[in-house]
Structures are given as structure tokens and as C-alpha cells.
């Protein structure tokens, strides 16, 4: 793989292409022919020096017809001081569609091939500029949906995940070397200190568990939390969404059944992206359109990570509320008693099994902070510490850590069963390999293809 990549020059548009939007569009070229392509296409008037890490002003022209394509800037980054550790040039064109598309086509006509998704970052990995955790963190940064998610991704780019993984792998290698030395030179070395090996393995498992504990947090930061507001018609679901999102996303009237479909709003609470779904009021109805809305409401509730069952404080807990509750009680749930400005909450006799209750007066913008704190408490009950932003592993990394954890546990069992040292080394090597897969020190081509295919083209 690395030989074929090293022999080719790639090009791609590195910025979003949107008609009539974006002041600048960038075409990125990386590889041995990058500078030659730039010389063929770019005319820099005057005596500007074609030196690394300088920006040239000039024009992009068709090499055969000399027709002007764009007035642009050219950025030169010669190897190894570039993102890919190859020669890289960037044409900074006018934004929009036509300029960058024409420049890209000229680069391809000059011999570059169109980059695959994530191929620039793949080259950075293969050329030793990034490890695999840093590469994945770059994708996380591009897709970050909250400031905290961006900070976690930056921590990953800086190596804050790779460092403890690499340290742990090195310690496992040291233990493996000690064991293998006893196998090869048993007569020349003192007996292996089993107590010390047990203690080291126990510490390794603690460190693995500590990193694994961030998997849920990482999933929340990357994908966010889907929250569905459900309840009877006219209990204030739309008012709650509007007060929470500080907008008029949902229509609010005194008429039951106003919301006929699911209304979405994107929020960030405690650093966690939240997709809030305001659903249609759930009730028996003969109205065909409203019935479809009710079905979608129940479907949204079943798919949500958290359900906010909203009731009317003045009406209290009704039979209709009970019927809705029975359909969503198996989901993580917070009871929201709305309209407390119209009735005392003490008069509401809801089921005692509901552990989290929040009171609001959405029309008066009251209780929103308490609702957010209840949601964060629900998140933390899943053992997520949203304040720890240094580490947040993804699903691939978590799977590798679980394999490492299993292997370490099997080494401990082999010691307890007094099995020969050869059995210890088998599982210890498995743990070392699993840890190496996280940073990319031991990784297959198929894994790389899967990871980098999820990147955007041009990154």
C-alpha cells in the first residue's frame, strides 16, 4: 500500500463547494509531482521566490491555451515540513464552484489522480507524521458538534490518548521480555517473580479500565443525545421546546393537536450535543394526518436516548398520561410537570417508580436550568464524567481495549493455574497486538481502509 501511495501524486478540493458562498476555495496537491504541476499551472508575476512555506500571488492559466482560469494564491510546503510529509502545494482560489473545479481538472490533466476520502491523512499516517489515534482525532475535529467535542479532538491530536496507550504497550512488552528470557535462558537467570508479574498485570488492567470508561463519553460527544418530548396534546411540549431552544421552532396555540409532525432543534447542554424532538400530542384520533403524527411520536420515543414525558400540572396525572407512560417506561425517562404557574405540583399523583421529576413553566421560561441539570444527571448515572475531556475513545479503540483487557485477564488465569510460561506469552502478545492496533503500530490494510474511508475527500 505505502509503495503505491508514495509513487503517486493526488489532488482534491479541500474546502466545501457551495454555489455563491465561501470567499476562498482550496485545491490541495500532494506528492512528488506537486511542485511540477504548480509550475505548469501558476504564473507568479515579478520576482517572487518559489520557496517552501511562502505564499505567492499570481494567476492560474491553462498550460496549452494560456487562458486565464483564476487570480489566486499559491502556498508551497516542501517535504518533510507538510501535512503529508510529501511536497504539498495549495491553490487558494475564489470560492464557489467553477474556479476550484476548473483548477482541480487542470491538476488531474497534469497527471495527479483524484484523492480518495482521507487519503491525505492516510499519507500523513504512513509517513509517520501522525499515529492512528491522531488521525481519527482529526476526523473528530472536523465533525465536532460542540466546543467540548472539539477540545477532546484537539487533545487526541496532541497525543493525549496515544501517550498512555503507548506507555501501557511498552510495559507489556517489558513483561513479555522478562518471561521470554526465562523460557530461553532458564538456567542462567533467577526465577521469575510471579508476585511482581501479578501486580503489574493488575495495574495494566486498571489502566485499561480507566481508558475504557471514556467510551460512553466519547460516543456522546461525537453523536450527541437524542431527546424526545412526548405527552398528551396541549400539555406544553412545543412551549417547552421553544423556551429551551430560545426560538419559535414549534407552533404554540391553545388548540390540541397543533403539532402534526416531529419538530427538531439542536442544542448543546453541558458540552453534549442534543437533538431535541418535539413530537405530536399522543391521543386516540380519527384524523388521518394526526394519527400519522402520533405514530411518528411513538416511533421517535422508542428511538430516543432519553424521553421527557410531559404532563399538565393543572390536569394532573390522567389516564391518557398513564397510557403514554406504559408505552415509554422502558426507555430512560424524566417526568416534566409543566404549567406549574397554574397549579401546585403537590396535587400531581404520578407513579412512585418515576425517579427523576422536573417542574417547569415553559410559557414563563421557568425550570429550563433544572431540566438541563436533570438530563446531565441522567447522563452521569451512565458513569459518564462530562468534565473529563482529555480522553474520549471511539468504538474501534474501545473494541481493541476490550480485547487487550480479555487477554490480560487470561494471562492472570494462566498464572493462577500454574500453566507453563509459554501460555502466559500467548495472551500477553494478544494484549500487545490489540494495544498496537489503537495507535497503528500493528494494523491491517483493511482496518486502515475502513477508518480513512469515513473521512471527507480533501482531508
Amino acid at each position: 500500500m505505502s509503495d503505491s501511495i508514495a509513487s503517486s501524486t493526488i489532488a482534491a478540493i479541500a474546502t466545501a463547494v457551495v454555489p455563491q458562498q465561501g470567499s476562498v476555495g482550496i485545491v490541495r496537491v500532494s506528492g512528488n509531482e506537486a511542485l511540477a504541476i504548480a509550475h505548469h499551472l501558476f504564473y507568479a508575476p515579478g520576482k517572487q521566490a518559489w520557496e517552501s512555506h511562502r505564499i505567492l500571488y499570481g494567476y492560474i492559466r491553462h498550460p496549452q491555451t494560456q487562458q486565464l482560469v483564476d487570480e489566486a494564491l499559491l502556498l508551497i510546503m516542501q517535504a518533510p515540513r507538510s501535512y503529508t510529509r510529501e511536497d504539498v502545494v495549495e491553490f487558494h482560489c475564489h470560492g464557489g464552484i467553477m474556479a476550484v473545479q476548473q483548477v482541480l481538472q487542470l491538476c488531474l490533466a497534469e497527471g495527479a489522480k483524484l484523492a480518495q476520502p482521507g487519503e491525505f491523512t492516510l499519507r500523513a499516517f504512513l509517513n509517520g507524521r501522525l499515529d492512528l489515534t491522531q488521525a481519527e482525532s482529526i476526523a473528530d475535529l472536523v465533525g465536532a458538534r460542540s466546543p467540548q467535542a472539539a477540545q477532546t479532538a484537539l487533545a487526541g491530536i496532541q497525543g493525549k490518548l496515544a501517550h498512555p496507550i503507548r506507555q501501557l504497550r511498552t510495559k507489556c512488552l517489558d513483561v513479555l521480555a522478562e518471561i521470554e528470557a526465562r523460557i530461553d535462558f532458564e538456567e542462567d537467570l533467577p526465577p521469575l517473580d510471579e508476585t511482581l508479574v501479578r501486580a503489574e498485570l493488575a495495574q495494566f488492567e486498571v489502566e485499561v479500565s480507566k481508558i475504557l470508561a471514556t467510551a460512553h463519553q466519547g460516543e456522546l460527544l461525537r453523536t450527541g443525545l437524542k431527546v424526545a418530548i412526548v405527552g398528551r396534546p396541549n400539555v406544553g411540549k412545543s412551549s417547552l421546546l421553544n423556551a429551551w431552544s430560545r426560538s419559535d421552532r414549534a407552533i404554540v396555540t391553545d388548540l390540541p393537536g397543533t403539532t402534526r409532525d416531529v419538530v427538531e432543534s439542536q442544542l448543546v447542554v453541558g458540552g453534549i450535543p442534543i437533538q431535541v424532538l418535539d413530537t405530536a400530542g399522543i391521543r386516540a384520533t380519527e384524523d388521518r394526518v394526526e394519527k400519522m403524527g402520533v405514530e411518528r411520536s411513538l416511533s421517535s420515543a422508542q428511538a430516543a436516548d432519553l424521553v421527557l414525558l410531559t404532563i399538565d400540572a393543572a390536569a394532573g396525572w390522567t389516564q391518557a398520561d398513564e397510557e403514554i407512560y406504559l408505552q415509554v417506561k422502558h426507555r430512560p425517562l424524566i417526568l416534566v410537570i409543566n404549567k406549574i404557574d397554574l397549579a401546585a405540583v403537590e396535587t400531581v399523583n404520578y407513579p412512585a417508580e418515576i425517579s427523576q421529576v422536573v417542574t417547569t413553566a415553559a410559557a414563563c421560561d421557568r425550570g429550563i436550568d433544572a431540566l438541563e441539570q436533570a438530563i446531565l444527571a441522567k447522563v452521569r448515572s451512565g458513569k459518564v464524567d462530562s468534565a473529563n475531556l482529555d480522553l474520549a475513545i471511539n468504538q474501534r479503540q474501545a473494541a481493541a481495549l476490550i480485547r487487550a483487557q480479555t487477554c490480560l485477564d487470561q494471562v492472570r488465569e494462566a498464572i493462577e493455574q500454574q500453566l507453563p510460561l509459554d501460555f502466559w506469552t500467548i495472551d500477553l502478545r494478544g494484549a500487545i497486538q490489540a494495544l498496537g492496533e489503537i495507535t497503528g503500530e500493528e494494523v491491517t490494510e483493511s482496518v486502515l481502509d475502513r477508518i480513512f474511508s469515513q473521512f471527507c475527500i480533501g482531508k
Side-chain angles (χ1 to χ4, degrees):
M1 175 192 287
S2 58
D3 291 340
S4 62
I5 285 179
S7 63
S8 63
T9 297
I10 56 173
I13 298 172
T15 49
V17 179
V18 183
Q20 298 180 335
Q21 294 186 32
S23 60
V24 178
I26 298 175
V27 177
R28 178 177 293 153
V29 184
S30 178
N32 295 334
E33 299 301 316
L35 282 172
I37 290 173
H39 275 287
H40 287 164
L41 301 180
F42 193 82
Y43 168 69
K47 298 181 179 180
Q48 301 178 65
W50 286 64
E51 297 175 352
S52 184
H53 292 80
R54 289 185 65 114
I55 296 177
L56 307 182
Y57 161 78
Y59 304 93
I60 300 169
R61 292 176 172 173
H62 192 290
Q64 277 76 48
T65 66
Q66 295 300 304
Q67 180 180 352
L68 183 66
V69 175
D70 196 12
E71 180 183 23
L73 300 175
L74 177 69
L75 174 59
I76 303 171
M77 294 168 282
Q78 290 181 276
R81 295 173 57 208
S82 71
Y83 181 65
T84 60
R85 282 196 172 166
E86 300 173 336
D87 286 345
V88 173
V89 296
E90 290 183 352
F91 298 94
H92 290 233
C93 315
H94 287 91
I97 294 179
M98 292 312 302
V100 287
Q101 290 286 2
Q102 289 183 80
V103 173
L104 175 61
Q105 291 305 316
L106 288 177
C107 292
L108 299 181
E110 288 293 313
K113 72 178 186 68
L114 184 63
Q116 297 298 309
E119 191 170 352
F120 289 96
T121 304
L122 174 60
R123 291 185 177 212
F125 165 71
L126 293 175
N127 292 329
R129 186 183 180 278
L130 303 170
D131 66 37
L132 210 48
T133 65
Q134 291 173 309
E136 289 174 300
S137 294
I138 288 172
D140 289 339
L141 182 59
V142 172
R145 296 168 56 193
S146 70
Q148 283 77 3
Q151 285 299 313
T152 303
L154 284 170
I157 293 172
Q158 293 167 354
K160 290 188 178 180
L161 173 57
H163 180 67
I165 296 293
R166 223 177 254 119
Q167 277 192 325
L168 184 56
R169 185 170 182 271
T170 299
K171 291 175 183 176
C172 288
L173 284 167
D174 290 342
V175 173
L176 178 63
E178 286 287 327
I179 297 172
E180 290 185 330
R182 294 321 190 275
I183 296 174
D184 296 333
F185 308 103
E186 182 179 4
E187 297 178 357
D188 301 326
L189 294 172
L192 188 67
D193 188 340
E194 288 189 14
T195 303
L196 178 60
V197 172
R198 286 172 185 264
E200 289 178 322
L201 290 173
Q203 182 58 39
F204 297 165
E205 289 192 73
V206 168
E207 292 176 23
V208 168
S209 297
K210 191 176 179 181
I211 300 172
L212 262 175
T214 69
H216 188 197
Q217 173 185 322
E219 190 67 16
L220 283 175
L221 289 174
R222 291 180 183 92
T223 64
L225 197 69
K226 186 177 289 187
V227 177
I229 306 174
V230 301
R232 295 183 294 108
N234 212 33
V235 296
K237 299 185 300 298
S238 296
S239 296
L240 183 62
L241 172 64
N242 290 342
W244 194 4
S245 62
R246 292 169 177 79
S247 67
D248 294 325
R249 296 294 301 273
I251 299 172
V252 178
T253 73
D254 293 331
L255 299 174
T258 303
T259 302
R260 297 297 185 97
D261 206 345
V262 177
V263 179
E264 298 184 9
S265 188
Q266 302 291 333
L267 305 173
V268 176
V269 176
I272 299 171
I274 292 184
Q275 179 186 11
V276 185
L277 309 175
D278 172 28
T279 65
I282 299 174
R283 65 172 178 177
T285 177
E286 296 303 318
D287 184 294
R288 183 179 176 184
V289 176
E290 187 177 357
K291 184 178 288 188
M292 292 175 62
V294 170
E295 290 173 355
R296 291 185 180 183
S297 296
L298 291 172
S299 177
S300 296
Q302 301 303 329
D305 301 305
L306 178 64
V307 173
L308 303 182
L309 176 57
T310 307
I311 67 172
D312 184 341
W317 184 267
T318 67
Q319 182 59 36
D321 294 323
E322 179 71 22
E323 292 173 2
I324 296 170
Y325 173 62
L326 291 176
Q327 296 184 72
V328 300
K329 63 183 294 185
H330 66 287
R331 305 297 302 157
L333 181 142
I334 295 174
L335 177 62
V336 179
I337 304 177
N338 193 32
K339 302 185 181 180
I340 58 168
D341 53 321
L342 303 179
V345 69
E346 291 79 8
T347 62
V348 181
N349 295 315
Y350 55 85
E353 64 191 41
I354 299 178
S355 58
Q356 281 190 292
V357 181
V358 176
T359 59
T360 62
C364 307
D365 201 18
R366 287 167 51 191
I368 302 302
D369 290 343
L371 176 60
E372 291 185 346
Q373 290 305 312
I375 291 172
L376 292 177
K378 203 75 172 178
V379 170
R380 294 190 186 100
S381 69
K383 298 181 180 178
V384 177
D385 180 7
S386 60
N388 178 14
L389 299 176
D390 284 342
L391 296 179
I393 60 175
N394 60 31
Q395 290 181 344
R396 182 194 74 85
Q397 295 159 354
L401 278 170
I402 290 171
R403 291 201 307 275
Q405 191 177 52
T406 301
C407 288
L408 291 171
D409 189 53
Q410 290 171 344
V411 176
R412 182 176 49 78
E413 289 183 8
I415 296 173
E416 290 175 354
Q417 295 173 15
Q418 294 297 301
L419 295 177
L421 296 180
D422 301 76
F423 287 85
W424 303 16
T425 62
I426 293 171
D427 291 313
L428 194 52
R429 285 196 189 96
I432 291 167
Q433 180 177 354
L435 294 171
E437 287 179 11
I438 297 174
T439 57
E441 289 159 293
E442 297 191 44
V443 67
T444 63
E445 185 171 332
S446 61
V447 170
L448 291 179
D449 289 342
R450 187 167 68 250
I451 291 171
F452 289 100
S453 66
Q454 299 172 20
F455 282 58
C456 59
I457 294 176
K459 195 59 181 173

